[in-house]
Amino acid sequence: MSYTLRGRLESRVVAALLPVAVAAGLAAALSAWWPVELAALMLGVGVALDLSAYHPLLRYQPGWLALPLGAIELALVMGLAVALDVRAPLGAALIFFSSSWLWAQLLGHAAFPLLRAEYGEDGGELPGAGDAAAAAAVIVLALTGGVAWATRPPVVHLHGVVQGPLLLNREQTLVGGVVHGGIVVTADGVTIRGTTVIGGDYGIEVRESRRVTLERVTILRAREDGIHARRSAVTVRDCTVVARPGTQGIDISFALHEHSEVSACNVVGGRSGIEIHFTMAAVHDNVVTGSGIALTEMSMGSLEDNTANAIACSDHSICELDGNTAPSFSTTFGSEAKIEGNTFGRTTVSADSVIVR
Amino acid sequence: MRCTFGSATLSPVSESCAIIGSGLAALTAKAALADAEIDAVVFGDQPDPAAAWRVRAAAIRQTHMRSESDGHCRPRTFPGLAVRDTLRKRDPWPLLLSVTDRYRPSVDAFLADVDAVRKDSAWDASFRQARIAEIRPIAGGFLLGQSPHVPGTCRVRARYEGPFKHVLVATGHPGLNLPPELADDPRVVHSYEPHEYGEHVAVVGAGMAAATEWRNASAAGAEVTSVRRREPLRRPLNLPRHLFTKRGLAAYHRLDPWTRVSFLRELSAPSYPPGREWEVRVHVTQCVPDEVDQVICATGFVQGAQHEPLLASLPRQDGWIELSPGATVPSLTDDTRTLAVSGVHAQWAFPAADTLAGMRYVAHRFARRCRTR
């Protein structure tokens, strides 16, 4: 097909109408804006490529070229989604993109030539339908995008010292600042970034919340655990926690059906530096000083490239360990550990536990 | 002796659209009109729209088309011949070949599709066996004049059909082209005429038909000499692909007449597709050797609208009729009537007008005028 510029744009916009409508429906059903944001990204990337690359470079476009061009568009859309913090689940985003791409191919190669006899010789132009579709797509995207923008979770910038405890009970992003007295999270989709928390019963407590991200947080002088998550899915990265003796630096518990992640954290002190209890988790690239890391009580997870005084996999847990360094490692109470490439001093294995090397 | 027109009679028929010609261009136009639910009368010599093409294809032992999946007479490109082939054989291979622009339908599949289009478009019901000798413009339309001879005399009794508001001339190539210097040579046969092969064969020409004849004659055991004045081009289709759509056509239509003429001359250079299947060992010379026992002229058709009596009086640029981008004759087309040209004579509007894609392009534009005026 030799598209005219107008033909490319009209075909793309008309083909995007259904995905945009589906995205709007999905957004309403899921109470999430990522479908609309993803649809807008797909359309935006496509139109930008049409204008800047496809039209000037491709005087003729054979059918097979749709595959590599689709792969390029997919890479750009996913890259932009990450860069612009579009919170689309990867699997769902891939399915949405692939379905939309397939739909566009079906329209371009079969439906449009069938419905409009002159489609091919007119270079993909869809007189009338093209204008109407462009208007419809722009209106739908503008409306949903506008609503999405108006109702998007707020970003709260803290300046200076704030007296807590702070209760975060709706989706939001908290950035910076120093909070005295701790933070309590009770809503899904909360992000805390670059905040220092001093004191409080717990430094940051997360209760029954999903998609919680704690990034570059510093926790000091909490009376109990530094980060305390229950029945939640939490991503903790680049954190610093100084824990009191007899407490946990980071304790993520009772969320066997959720997946949490702790990475690149520096934990000092405590009875246990990082405690994963009855939870699925990936713990990697952390440094724990003065205490250890433990997966306990039927937890399932991986520990990679961590450094600690001790590492334990206990109480019917299933652990994969790779590249960790610790003076002691223990597998006890019916646990199973698969270990490879670790540097351990003393290794203790109870009679009912298994180590697979 | 000079024949003169005698008395004229006017047929009571007054459909709005007429097609003059009964070949593939006419069938393509008829199918496009039928698709737009427009009745049209077809005037021609042959009730079988593939009759002339079939003979030529058989003469050069053509087994596959040069055109691709959309090389058919239907008004819509989808489903094309590759899709139909895939569905019929339950084999995805034709479709995969089509996606990579490598699908070439077989001649049998193409002709079967022509028969299907003939049936679907009610061709036979619209066909009138008549040779139109004159297109007479009248207010708001045209009268089409037949000129049957009055038996036993040299007089011709003109009989007019119509009037028709919209007329498409799709008369095809004016005739086979034979180089004048070979006209009286008893060894000569045109490639498009039925023939067998001698022991030492000279093939004159360097286009698709010539390349096919090199293969055929070699396969028949003949020693083959290619007689050509210039090296042929190797390209998959007659023209670069963008010239089949609005993208390339927009620039083409902006060319001034002189540039357009030289562009068309360049495009008419002989060519055949790339690929090993076309590589045949032949001797190459610039003139026909005396020792050959057969000379096959793969020299195509007589070029130029001056050789087509119905079109000879229209304004031309070096043999090409000056047409609008929609393949209408500007001086005889207005808001009330249309005179359009399809097939090889429409190259001023569509450089590949002698291809099935070109015929469909003209058919769509003619149908649009018939529908809207």
Side-chain angles (χ1 to χ4, degrees), chain A residues 2-4 8 54-56 58-60 62-64 109-111 113-118 120-123 125, chain B residues 35 68 75-79 99-101 240-247 249 350 357 360-361 364-365 368 371:
Chain A
S2 284
Y3 287 101
T4 62
R8 272 191 188 283
Y54 297 165
H55 182 69
L58 300 174
R59 204 156 63 160
Y60 168 74
W64 62 267
H109 289 103
L114 194 61
L115 294 172
R116 184 171 142 66
E118 290 138 306
E121 62 209 27
D122 278 355
E125 293 181 8
Chain B
D35 185 60
E68 297 173 350
R76 290 160 202 270
T77 52
F78 184 86
V99 167
T100 55
D101 293 340
R241 291 175 189 273
H242 69 286
L243 282 171
F244 286 82
T245 77
K246 195 172 181 177
R247 177 163 187 173
L249 289 173
F350 193 97
R360 185 162 47 238
Y361 169 90
H364 286 153
R365 274 136 193 86
R368 192 189 299 163
R371 196 172 57 235

Side-chain angles (χ1 to χ4, degrees), chain A residues 33-34 37-38 41 80-88:
Chain A
W33 291 110
W34 67 261
E37 293 168 340
L38 197 64
L41 267 184
L80 280 171
V82 170
L84 299 175
D85 201 20
V86 173
R87 295 180 175 190

Side-chain angles (χ1 to χ4, degrees), chain A residues 218-241:
Chain A
T218 301
I219 316 288
L220 304 170
R221 300 204 297 274
R223 275 185 290 279
E224 300 291 339
D225 303 338
I227 294 171
H228 180 90
R230 291 291 180 271
R231 292 181 289 280
S232 298
V234 186
T235 299
V236 186
R237 65 172 83 99
D238 293 319
C239 71
T240 301
V241 178

Side-chain angles (χ1 to χ4, degrees), chain B residues 62 64-68 101 104 206-212 214-215 232-238 241 270-279:
Chain B
Q62 186 176 352
H64 286 78
M65 306 292 286
R66 186 179 191 177
S67 54
E68 297 173 350
D101 293 340
R104 300 283 180 271
M208 183 72 183
T212 308
W214 301 335
R215 287 206 313 185
L233 300 173
R234 303 292 296 269
R235 56 188 178 204
L237 301 178
N238 290 355
R241 291 175 189 273
S271 72
Y272 62 96
R276 270 185 303 179
E277 67 270 31
W278 296 101
E279 304 296 343

Side-chain angles (χ1 to χ4, degrees), chain A residues 190-240:
Chain A
V190 168
T191 296
I192 302 175
R193 185 180 298 139
T195 302
T196 297
V197 182
I198 300 173
D201 289 340
Y202 301 112
I204 297 175
E205 182 184 5
V206 183
R207 295 180 197 157
E208 298 184 26
S209 303
R210 292 174 183 79
R211 294 186 288 111
V212 174
T213 302
L214 309 178
E215 199 174 86
R216 289 185 280 110
V217 296
T218 301
I219 316 288
L220 304 170
R221 300 204 297 274
R223 275 185 290 279
E224 300 291 339
D225 303 338
I227 294 171
H228 180 90
R230 291 291 180 271
R231 292 181 289 280
S232 298
V234 186
T235 299
V236 186
R237 65 172 83 99
D238 293 319
C239 71
T240 301

Side-chain angles (χ1 to χ4, degrees), chain A residues 109-304:
Chain A
H109 289 103
F112 289 156
L114 194 61
L115 294 172
R116 184 171 142 66
E118 290 138 306
Y119 178 74
E121 62 209 27
D122 278 355
E125 293 181 8
L126 296 162
D131 297 343
V138 168
I139 289 169
V140 169
L141 279 177
L143 282 177
T144 49
V147 174
W149 180 261
T151 59
R152 68 199 291 244
V155 177
V156 179
H157 290 267
L158 294 182
H159 299 284
V161 178
V162 175
Q163 186 58 49
L166 288 186
L167 174 63
L168 307 184
N169 58 2
R170 52 175 293 203
E171 187 172 359
Q172 61 191 283
T173 297
L174 189 71
V175 180
V178 177
V179 177
H180 274 276
I183 298 173
V184 178
V185 176
T186 61
D188 294 345
V190 168
T191 296
I192 302 175
R193 185 180 298 139
T195 302
T196 297
V197 182
I198 300 173
D201 289 340
Y202 301 112
I204 297 175
E205 182 184 5
V206 183
R207 295 180 197 157
E208 298 184 26
S209 303
R210 292 174 183 79
R211 294 186 288 111
V212 174
T213 302
L214 309 178
E215 199 174 86
R216 289 185 280 110
V217 296
T218 301
I219 316 288
L220 304 170
R221 300 204 297 274
R223 275 185 290 279
E224 300 291 339
D225 303 338
I227 294 171
H228 180 90
R230 291 291 180 271
R231 292 181 289 280
S232 298
V234 186
T235 299
V236 186
R237 65 172 83 99
D238 293 319
C239 71
T240 301
V241 178
V242 178
R244 286 174 186 259
T247 65
Q248 271 77 245
I250 299 170
D251 182 342
I252 302 173
S253 298
F254 308 122
L256 195 55
H257 299 295
E258 304 291 349
H259 187 272
S260 291
E261 183 178 350
V262 181
S263 64
C265 281
N266 209 331
V267 181
V268 178
R271 184 176 61 82
S272 176
I274 300 173
E275 181 92 3
I276 306 297
H277 189 88
F278 199 65
T279 293
M280 281 198 291
V283 180
H284 58 94
D285 300 298
N286 301 287
V287 176
V288 176
T289 308
S291 59
I293 301 172
L295 263 71
T296 67
E297 188 73 31
M298 293 187 283
S299 289
M300 297 168 69
S302 62
L303 293 105
E304 293 179 3

